[in-house]
Amino acid sequence: MPVSDTITITFPDGNTRDYASGTTGFEVAESISKSLSKAAIAITLNGVQKDLCDPLNTNGTVSIITLKDEAGLEIMRHTLTAQVLARAVKNIYPSAKLAIGPTIENGFYYDIAFERAISSDDLGTIEKEMRRLLGAGNAITKKIVPKSKAIKLFTDRNEPYKVQIIEGAEDSQFQIYCQGDTDFIDLCYGPHLPSLKKIGAFKLMKLAGAYWRGDSNNEMLTRIYGTAWRDEKELKAHLTQIEEAEKRDHRKLGKEMDLFHLQEEAQGSVFWHAKGYAIYLQLEAYIRRRLKDAGYDEVKTPQLMDQRLWEASGHWEKFGENMFVTPDIVPNTTGKGPVFTEEPKNFMALKPMNCPAHVQIFKQGVTSYKDLPIRLAEFGCCHRNEPHGALHGIMRVRQMTQDDAHIFCREDQITQESVAFCALLQKIYTDLGFEDLNVRLALRPEKRGGTEETWDKAENGLREALTQAGLSFEEDEGEGAFYGPKIEFHIKDAIGRSWQCGTLQLDFILPERLDASYIGEDGEKHRPVMLHRAILGTFERFIGMMIESYAGKFPLWLAPTHCVITTITSSADSYAQELYQTMWNAGLRVELDTRNEKINYKIREHSHKKVPNIFVVGAREAEEKTVAIRRLGGKDKDIMSAEKAITELIEQSRPPY
RNA sequence: GCUGCUGUAGCUCAGUGGUAGAGCGUUCCCUUGGUAAGGGAGAGGUCGGGAGUUCAAUUCUCCCCAGCAGCACCA
């Protein structure tokens, strides 16, 4: 019931205007200008998006959404998936059942249950039908129906997923969008475009499986992904951007730059080639210096440990299905009969984590409260039996080396240790070129150990640490580990996938399970708190991220090769050899290329391999004891004395710490 | 693990129901060339693995393995 016949609308510029109650958003736009009413696709009323056809009954602030706005683009994408993709699919496959069709970054998807599986070849047919529907340019209208009617509508149409959605919703009224005079309907919170004429450029991208409601216990639906933009130009720019990003893929660059390879016989484990391992070693040495100066003690613990230890730690029960377990028996490798001829009594497991081993070191001897915190670091090589479908290049592997450490401390030291960790992490990420971090604080899950008081303390400690470190972060309810809350540091790869790298996790459970204790000021035994922490996360993933973020062009201190010396003619060979020897002796990662090839050819090849510096030498340089420096990406050459060039190179290749 | 796709020379890829082709790389020969591909010749393949259909399978069918995209998982 309208309170009065007139409502006052405030516009973003502060102006106000009175309208008859029940005026629609479209009419408001029209009252401002004809062109605005043409461009309008929806409005926001007091910050809430509304359809143009919704009548306005209250005073409020209204702004008109057009396709120029990000919100407008999203509405367009939403309409495209809900009205066009869904209808096209139903036209071609009448028995298909629609689930959900939301927008995502750069586009949209729709989850659909098909009677018979469709393949990516069918996307073309669907896209064609979509274009046909767009050609008709139907108007979109909507009606609002009560819950019972909505359920009946979709039950009659044999849309069980829509019925489930309605049944599960709190609302009493539902919006049903219709298209022209067709009998297609879709359930949606809206808003939608007023007409299909306003759809821009789009393309169906790929097809994949996705579980209904994201639960792997449910059936798998077919998800159709698409991208949509205001016009062809924007679409093309987006597709080009994807192509460009694919060029930075670490798997591609890893091969091109001869950094590493993977093969079937060791799936999920990296074969580091000399060039890739050079990066690895530099990075490891850098982290080692950082950790040492931050008060960590580096240790090394066993790879294979007895089942009993993993049972005691809780890993056997909680993590067992991800562990590689081996019976402690001499195998029969004759090729005849079973490999294990006796029933094993004992099992060993490759460590999936370093923490239980670090607790064993902590437990040697007696620890006083005065000794805390104790920070044990290990470049620990861990194995995890990851699901096949999860493996991805060197980002998600089965054998990984963490820059792991465990800090054993008293409860009152949690905050200071966490703050110090965040500060250290920030310094390191800055040095390594990662400034934009996505930081998440994962809070207590439903199933958890420890008391509420401990959780409060732990969560607040981490919050405090992040705040003091000046890091903005988002909180994820219920996402913490069962033993404690955690901070996660995520980075995006070349094509926008987010990967967790650094982490800080509080643990009150493991010291208890493995009976670790220290002697307090009161002379009694106390439990230490454990902080599990990693900065890179794993070398594999982090180097993968660096390859993509640098597009293979590593800063000099990390570059696999600092410099290639190459000759123009064979007359400079001995001079080049001399230079090579001098530079090699100076500790530079240098290569010599005296092949009988043209200089253009050699420059091109080394540039493709992202070699940062090429020292070109010919007769003239040999005569004058100079080098012509060709820097990666540069066109100019820089001629200077060999001595100066080498000194500069040594200077430039120094690590940041 | 689930859904879909892919697997041919070292790499990137084309191709066919009658046991295969290109470019790059590699080897050899010619070329000594001044900053992103000089010329020529040769070598190189269990067409991912297994089974089936067929006179004949790299090609068609089924099973397995691996990779890719996404979903689920990710201490």
Side-chain angles (χ1 to χ4, degrees):
Chain A
M1 261 312 170
V3 184
S4 71
D5 292 344
T6 314
I7 55 170
T8 305
I9 297 297
T10 310
F11 294 102
D13 61 5
N15 286 333
T16 64
R17 206 150 148 180
D18 288 348
Y19 293 92
S21 179
T23 300
T24 66
F26 178 76
E27 287 159 351
V28 172
E30 209 173 20
S31 74
I32 299 170
S33 80
K34 191 75 189 165
S35 60
L36 185 59
S37 75
K38 272 188 183 166
I41 58 179
I43 62 160
T44 61
L45 172 64
N46 297 328
V48 180
Q49 293 186 1
K50 297 270 182 197
D51 277 300
L52 281 184
C53 60
D54 286 330
L56 306 175
N57 294 319
T58 57
N59 296 342
T61 304
V62 164
S63 68
I64 312 286
I65 302 173
T66 71
L67 209 49
K68 282 184 186 152
D69 306 304
E70 279 307 302
L73 183 56
E74 193 169 331
I75 291 168
M76 190 266 271
R77 287 169 177 159
H78 200 169
T79 306
L80 186 56
T81 186
Q83 288 290 320
V84 188
L85 174 54
R87 190 175 158 219
V89 166
K90 291 293 285 188
N91 283 354
I92 304 172
Y93 310 93
S95 65
K97 294 171 178 52
L98 302 172
I100 54 163
T103 59
I104 48 174
E105 197 176 1
N106 303 328
F108 56 86
Y109 67 76
Y110 215 117
D111 284 352
I112 300 164
F114 287 93
E115 206 166 42
R116 281 208 350 251
I118 65 162
S119 89
S120 37
D121 296 340
D122 299 313
L123 288 184
T125 316
I126 297 171
E127 202 175 294
K128 209 171 152 196
E129 175 66 5
M130 289 172 74
R131 296 196 193 285
R132 193 184 70 81
L133 297 178
L134 288 179
N138 283 336
I140 293 167
T141 55
K142 76 169 176 187
K143 51 191 173 195
I144 293 170
V145 300
K147 189 163 189 167
S148 58
K149 176 96 186 284
I151 290 174
K152 184 168 186 323
L153 267 173
F154 286 102
T155 306
D156 291 348
R157 282 161 190 268
N158 195 18
E159 294 283 8
Y161 297 104
K162 296 293 181 195
V163 174
Q164 274 191 59
I165 292 166
I166 299 165
E167 280 172 343
E170 302 278 318
D171 314 61
S172 58
Q173 304 255 298
F174 290 83
Q175 296 196 124
I176 308 288
Y177 285 86
C178 313
Q179 215 182 99
D181 52 5
T182 70
D183 65 349
F184 176 80
I185 61 164
D186 189 56
L187 173 77
C188 193
Y189 285 109
H192 274 329
L193 301 179
S195 155
L196 295 187
K197 288 198 177 99
K198 296 192 187 289
I199 299 272
F202 77 99
K203 181 172 161 50
L204 295 185
M205 301 294 281
K206 59 196 175 193
L207 192 134
Y211 297 106
W212 167 234
R213 300 208 146 142
D215 185 340
S216 58
N217 295 315
N218 291 340
E219 69 272 30
M220 182 160 268
L221 309 172
T222 302
R223 177 172 295 178
I224 298 172
Y225 284 92
T227 186
W229 299 88
R230 296 177 183 90
D231 52 46
E232 289 294 334
K233 201 176 154 200
E234 277 191 15
L235 172 63
K236 189 145 185 273
H238 177 245
L239 297 177
T240 308
Q241 198 196 329
I242 293 176
E243 271 174 40
E244 287 302 311
E246 281 169 356
K247 289 185 191 157
R248 304 199 319 217
D249 190 308
H250 74 283
R251 293 164 298 187
K252 187 175 156 67
L253 287 174
K255 202 176 277 175
E256 284 172 8
M257 295 172 68
D258 192 21
L259 302 179
F260 61 82
H261 86 270
L262 296 153
Q263 70 184 50
E264 256 190 62
E265 290 81 356
Q267 54 171 295
S269 299
V270 184
F271 291 80
W272 286 105
H273 297 194
K275 292 217 163 63
Y277 200 49
I279 300 171
Y280 186 120
L281 287 172
Q282 281 304 122
L283 185 60
E284 184 184 66
Y286 163 82
I287 295 288
R288 183 171 275 129
R289 290 190 292 274
R290 281 286 194 187
L291 289 181
K292 183 165 170 272
D293 289 355
Y296 288 78
D297 296 315
E298 187 176 337
V299 299
K300 198 76 180 169
T301 62
Q303 212 60 47
L304 203 54
M305 295 193 287
D306 196 279
Q307 176 180 356
R308 282 169 307 177
L309 183 67
W310 299 113
E311 281 173 346
S313 72
H315 287 84
W316 195 261
E317 185 204 343
K318 299 269 180 202
F319 205 70
E321 60 183 24
N322 286 307
M323 282 162 60
F324 287 104
V325 174
T326 173
D328 186 7
I329 315 180
V330 177
N332 163 28
T333 53
T334 59
K336 293 175 198 138
V339 177
F340 297 111
T341 49
E342 53 183 304
E343 191 61 32
K345 291 186 199 71
N346 294 310
F347 286 95
M348 312 281 282
L350 282 171
K351 66 175 171 186
M353 300 178 202
N354 305 300
C355 32
H358 289 183
V359 176
Q360 304 313 306
I361 293 181
F362 178 86
K363 283 172 66 178
Q364 296 302 114
V366 177
T367 304
S368 154
Y369 71 95
K370 294 178 199 163
D371 301 328
L372 300 180
I374 290 175
R375 307 182 191 90
L376 299 181
E378 176 170 1
F379 296 111
C381 175
C382 295
H383 289 79
R384 294 180 194 174
N385 199 342
E386 301 283 1
H388 288 79
L391 300 177
H392 178 87
I394 64 172
M395 303 282 207
R396 182 83 180 263
V397 288
R398 290 180 151 179
Q399 178 191 300
M400 68 217 79
T401 304
Q402 301 174 308
D403 63 325
D404 198 14
H406 294 92
I407 302 171
F408 297 84
C409 66
R410 305 187 307 262
E411 282 197 15
D412 63 282
Q413 293 171 319
I414 291 175
T415 305
Q416 72 191 55
E417 285 302 309
S418 303
V419 170
F421 170 76
C422 289
L424 181 62
L425 180 135
Q426 280 177 293
K427 280 183 207 156
I428 291 176
Y429 276 38
T430 302
D431 281 348
L432 299 177
F434 293 97
E435 307 273 357
D436 293 326
L437 294 181
N438 178 4
V439 187
R440 317 202 69 93
L441 176 58
L443 303 173
R444 67 193 81 184
E446 274 190 36
K447 278 190 198 163
R448 58 180 182 264
T451 64
E452 291 310 288
E453 195 198 347
T454 329
W455 275 92
D456 288 341
K457 218 180 288 180
E459 289 174 355
N460 287 331
L462 292 184
R463 255 190 218 107
E464 175 65 22
L466 286 169
T467 309
Q468 282 196 31
L471 290 164
S472 55
F473 60 98
E474 285 175 60
E475 302 197 355
D476 294 323
E477 299 287 343
E479 296 292 312
F482 76 96
Y483 52 72
K486 54 182 183 173
I487 300 174
E488 299 171 357
F489 298 88
H490 294 259
I491 308 179
K492 278 192 180 172
D493 70 10
I495 49 176
R497 286 180 286 221
S498 184
W499 298 89
Q500 184 193 309
C501 291
T503 183
L504 170 63
Q505 310 182 3
L506 287 189
D507 185 352
F508 304 97
I509 310 287
L510 197 61
E512 179 81 34
R513 290 199 67 128
L514 295 176
D515 192 27
S517 62
Y518 67 90
I519 308 299
E521 215 167 345
D522 54 6
E524 302 291 322
K525 275 190 177 180
H526 296 274
R527 290 281 172 228
V529 179
M530 256 178 109
L531 275 62
H532 306 244
R533 41 108 297 157
I535 289 178
L536 306 180
T538 68
F539 282 85
E540 288 79 4
R541 177 173 293 179
F542 204 89
I543 292 174
M545 301 301 302
M546 287 203 297
I547 293 171
E548 301 204 350
S549 86
Y550 289 124
K553 294 171 198 160
F554 280 86
L556 204 54
W557 71 280
L558 284 168
T561 307
H562 289 138
C563 180
V564 169
I565 303 164
T566 189
T567 47
I568 290 168
T569 68
S570 54
S571 62
D573 283 4
S574 64
Y575 174 60
Q577 176 67 41
E578 254 174 65
L579 271 179
Y580 170 79
Q581 200 53 247
T582 310
M583 291 169 76
W584 193 87
N585 288 345
L588 289 165
R589 296 191 287 277
V590 61
E591 287 166 38
L592 180 60
D593 180 3
T594 52
R595 287 174 305 168
N596 176 13
E597 294 289 352
K598 289 217 159 123
I599 192 62
N600 283 340
Y601 180 92
K602 295 200 264 193
I603 299 263
R604 180 171 195 268
E605 189 178 278
H606 297 304
S607 299
H608 278 161
K609 299 222 157 148
K610 323 276 188 208
V611 172
N613 295 288
I614 302 171
F615 284 6
V616 179
V617 295
R620 200 152 64 227
E621 286 76 14
E623 175 66 26
E624 295 165 357
K625 301 288 176 207
T626 56
V627 294
I629 307 172
R630 167 86 184 211
R631 295 193 176 82
L632 184 59
K635 284 263 172 266
D636 302 335
K637 51 192 172 181
D638 197 359
I639 297 171
M640 65 174 80
S641 79
E643 201 186 331
K644 183 164 177 241
I646 294 169
T647 311
E648 279 190 5
L649 200 54
I650 291 169
E651 188 55 40
Q652 289 160 0
S653 61
R654 200 156 280 155
Y657 187 85

